[in-house]
Amino acid sequence: YYMMNVLTLASVCEKAGLLDLAVEYCEKAVEIRRRLMSEEHLDFINSLNSLAALCCKDGQYDRALEVHREIVERMLGKEHIFYADALSNLSVDYGGKKEFKKALALSKKALQRKKELLGEEDPQIAACHMAMGTLYESMGKAAEALRSTIADGRNTAYADTLTAIGKLYEGQEAYDEAERFVRKALEVRKSCGDEKSGMYLWCLHLLAEIERRQEDFDA
């Protein structure tokens, strides 16, 4: 009960924007769970993931990296279902530290592992492509970013990919291409019944901004 109250305090502090306190409480909960259960227990691994996520949010990338390494090296074998997710998390940590080559290598490894486990059509594959595209964009490699975000499908993950490509083209001031991809994303979201989502509305805002930049004010 004490541990659950500590986790609740961590959640409240996170929502209040007191991220350093949220990290502190989450670390306490992790240590309690470490004493109470096996380090291979899913609840313990989830607590570590929560701690690492809070550290990332607070910009404590070294601490996040330390926690994610513990998950990968001590608790997850390469055949574990969460191994690819752990690699993706490590990639985010290195990206936050501006160590993009290491981040990219881990992101590629996570993508390959997910392809082996899930196949080419799973929405998580599109998410991996988008993560790699974001890394390339951060490295100033727009062309590679565009190639990395391309993935096909008829689901919201595919729509997210199309939107990301449109956003990249907007950043290059290639507004015709940006408009084409964002309109396609909206079309896919409609076909998925996603018209009331926040992402659908955000796409509309993005499309309006692209039209404004082209001085098509009526549109």
Side-chain angles (χ1 to χ4, degrees):
Y1 288 122
Y2 176 75
M3 180 189 65
M4 295 308 297
N5 282 327
V6 171
L7 285 172
T8 300
L9 275 170
S11 177
V12 170
C13 288
E14 180 185 7
K15 290 175 182 176
L18 304 171
L19 295 176
D20 54 340
L21 274 177
V23 169
E24 182 180 328
Y25 283 121
C26 197
E27 283 184 325
K28 287 181 180 179
V30 165
E31 289 310 311
I32 294 168
R33 275 203 162 128
R34 196 187 296 274
R35 294 196 298 270
L36 291 177
M37 59 185 61
S38 162
E39 292 188 349
E40 289 79 25
H41 196 288
L42 187 58
D43 284 346
F44 179 66
I45 293 174
N46 284 336
S47 293
L48 285 175
N49 271 323
S50 297
L51 173 58
L54 280 171
C55 289
C56 277
K57 197 171 182 179
D58 194 34
Q60 298 183 37
Y61 295 111
D62 286 328
R63 179 66 177 123
L65 191 59
E66 180 185 336
V67 176
H68 281 136
R69 277 176 177 161
E70 181 177 3
I71 295 171
V72 172
E73 294 172 5
R74 295 181 55 191
M75 296 164 205
L76 299 182
K78 291 186 178 181
E79 301 306 315
H80 196 288
I81 191 170
F82 295 140
Y83 179 70
D85 291 326
L87 293 177
S88 295
N89 290 334
L90 282 170
S91 175
V92 171
D93 298 337
Y94 278 115
K97 287 164 61 66
K98 311 297 183 187
E99 296 183 32
F100 295 121
K101 288 185 178 180
K102 290 181 180 178
L104 191 59
L106 285 163
S107 188
K108 287 179 178 178
K109 193 173 180 180
L111 173 61
Q112 182 58 39
R113 187 69 187 123
K114 287 200 173 185
K115 282 182 178 179
E116 292 168 0
L117 289 171
L118 305 171
E120 297 274 355
E121 302 302 320
D122 192 273
Q124 290 190 46
I125 303 302
C128 284
H129 279 293
M130 287 179 63
M132 288 175 62
T134 300
L135 283 171
Y136 277 122
E137 185 182 13
S138 299
M139 295 167 75
K141 297 182 177 180
E144 288 89 341
L146 288 166
R147 285 196 292 271
S148 295
T149 50
I150 293 171
D152 204 353
R154 298 296 299 181
N155 48 50
T156 54
Y158 177 47
D160 290 343
T161 304
L162 293 169
T163 305
I165 295 171
K167 186 68 177 169
L168 283 167
Y169 273 122
E170 183 207 16
Q172 296 180 68
E173 300 183 0
Y175 299 123
D176 287 341
E177 286 297 295
E179 179 182 346
R180 182 166 70 87
F181 277 98
V182 174
R183 286 190 182 279
K184 180 68 174 176
L186 287 166
E187 176 193 322
V188 172
R189 288 193 182 280
K190 281 184 180 180
S191 72
C192 296
D194 196 45
E195 293 177 74
K196 293 185 178 180
S197 73
M199 278 302 298
Y200 185 85
L201 294 175
W202 187 83
C203 281
L204 286 175
H205 280 295
L206 177 58
L207 181 59
E209 177 62 15
I210 291 167
E211 300 287 11
R212 186 188 68 79
R213 289 175 179 272
Q214 296 180 95
E215 298 187 355
D216 190 348
F217 300 113
D218 289 337

